[in-house]
Amino acid sequence: VPVDGSHWLSMREVLDLLQQKGHEVVVVAPEVTLHIKPSKNFVMKMYSVPYTQEEMEKDFKEFLHTSFEEGSFLERFLKVYEGMKKLGNMSAASCQQLLQNKELMSYLEETKF
């Protein structure tokens, strides 16, 4: 179950190597992601989330832009904090959707994921 962004980019190389060595690789990911895309090297199991691709990209871009804005330390800190809170809420919603997906959770349990 990868985390999107740089975590995924690092993990992707490991998954490709595992597949080359004959392992079956299954990736569980939300339908809305920045970098996690289907591949012939692994099976994707996706689940829905309560936000759109556009919303996620907008919030992520705003967070990056805010991180490099000028201003007083307190102003920047509060803006970065709010951005982190937004992205954290998306992540928590994603986890909640995964755990409430009975079909996917049954599959994971049955296959001893």
Side-chain angles (χ1 to χ4, degrees):
V1 181
V3 176
D4 211 347
S6 61
H7 296 83
W8 168 249
L9 299 176
S10 299
M11 183 184 286
R12 176 68 196 267
E13 290 183 38
V14 173
L15 299 182
D16 289 341
L17 289 171
L18 286 171
Q19 188 275 333
Q20 288 172 14
K21 292 183 179 219
H23 295 276
E24 178 186 12
V25 178
V26 178
V27 173
V28 176
E31 290 176 334
V32 174
T33 68
L34 291 172
H35 300 290
I36 305 169
K37 304 296 179 219
S39 167
K40 62 179 176 48
N41 293 338
F42 51 80
V43 174
M44 287 274 300
K45 295 292 183 181
M46 301 184 93
Y47 57 94
S48 63
V49 289
Y51 50 85
T52 65
Q53 185 75 33
E54 292 77 22
E55 289 171 321
M56 183 188 64
E57 287 176 6
K58 178 181 148 286
D59 287 349
F60 189 73
K61 285 178 185 174
E62 283 177 7
F63 174 73
L64 287 177
H65 178 73
T66 300
S67 299
F68 296 104
E69 276 184 354
E70 292 191 20
S72 74
F73 172 77
L74 185 57
E75 287 174 323
R76 289 181 310 158
F77 176 82
L78 292 174
K79 285 181 181 180
V80 168
Y81 173 75
E82 286 302 316
M84 289 179 77
K85 204 161 78 169
K86 252 187 197 180
L87 295 175
N89 287 341
M90 277 187 169
S91 183
S94 176
C95 291
Q96 187 175 25
Q97 289 297 112
L98 169 60
L99 295 174
Q100 291 176 354
N101 185 320
K102 292 182 188 327
E103 183 181 326
L104 183 52
M105 293 307 291
S106 292
Y107 166 81
L108 297 175
E109 188 176 318
E110 288 167 12
T111 59
K112 299 186 182 354
F113 185 82

